[in-house]
Amino acid sequence: MNSKRFSTFLFVLLLTISGASCSDDSTGDNSTEFCSSLRILSSPNSTLTNLTFDDPKLVNQTIADLLALTSQAPSNISEETYAVVSLYEDILSKLVSVSPSQRTAELRNFQNQLDGVTTAARALELYGETECDLVFISPFDSRTTPVPSEDRE
């Protein structure tokens, strides 16, 4: 996988979401709070969306936001959320600690782990769509341009 595609996959793996409000269906124990945090984390102004590895403070805030998401995950998605967030935390911590010229090589070192978390990422994506009424632009979608979401009430 080339470095640009890998970097894009990494970012989209967790969240590239545009969304409406969460549903009030409480199929999980913390679904409303989790959905709200998921929506905030994926917003255009979030730390994740505006992440730069040259700003350790921003990376640390992003990690804190991701860990908070994990702590809010309903029981029916908690393992998957933990798997995705844990790997993302490891990647972010590593990338902020190396020079810009080393980041692509370091990302490649996570390839097997990224492949292993694909199922969890898909489950998290599905949960966001079905329980939180979010629309994901999936890294698993073969289309090159996102499909506009329908207006939601």
Side-chain angles (χ1 to χ4, degrees), residues 17-79:
I17 307 169
S18 60
S21 64
C22 293
S23 68
D24 289 330
D25 180 14
S26 59
T27 57
D29 35 315
N30 298 327
S31 64
T32 301
E33 184 179 1
F34 179 76
C35 288
S36 178
S37 293
L38 191 59
R39 186 178 353 93
I40 290 167
L41 188 60
S42 65
S43 75
N45 297 320
S46 77
T47 56
L48 180 62
T49 306
N50 295 293
L51 186 62
T52 173
F53 296 111
D54 297 324
D55 184 350
K57 187 175 177 181
L58 187 60
V59 172
N60 289 336
Q61 183 59 55
T62 301
I63 291 170
D65 292 345
L66 290 168
L67 293 173
L69 182 71
T70 300
S71 71
Q72 297 167 347
S75 58
N76 57 340
I77 195 69
S78 63
E79 287 181 32

Side-chain angles (χ1 to χ4, degrees), residues 16-21 39 128-129 132-138 141 143 145-153:
T16 300
I17 307 169
S18 60
S21 64
R39 186 178 353 93
E129 290 175 347
C132 304
D133 201 27
L134 298 171
V135 178
F136 285 74
I137 301 169
S138 175
D141 191 340
R143 293 176 288 209
T145 56
V147 176
S149 63
E150 296 177 18
D151 290 338
R152 301 183 193 263
E153 297 179 308

Side-chain angles (χ1 to χ4, degrees), residues 62-96:
T62 301
I63 291 170
D65 292 345
L66 290 168
L67 293 173
L69 182 71
T70 300
S71 71
Q72 297 167 347
S75 58
N76 57 340
I77 195 69
S78 63
E79 287 181 32
E80 294 85 350
T81 303
Y82 177 80
V84 172
V85 168
S86 179
L87 178 57
Y88 213 79
E89 177 186 14
D90 292 346
I91 292 170
L92 293 178
S93 296
K94 184 62 176 182
L95 294 182
V96 76

Side-chain angles (χ1 to χ4, degrees), residues 110-151:
F110 286 98
Q111 183 60 54
N112 288 337
Q113 292 158 304
L114 282 166
D115 292 343
V117 81
T118 299
T119 301
R122 286 183 178 169
L124 184 57
E125 177 182 348
L126 182 61
Y127 185 92
E129 290 175 347
T130 59
E131 301 301 323
C132 304
D133 201 27
L134 298 171
V135 178
F136 285 74
I137 301 169
S138 175
F140 311 111
D141 191 340
S142 61
R143 293 176 288 209
T144 57
T145 56
V147 176
S149 63
E150 296 177 18
D151 290 338

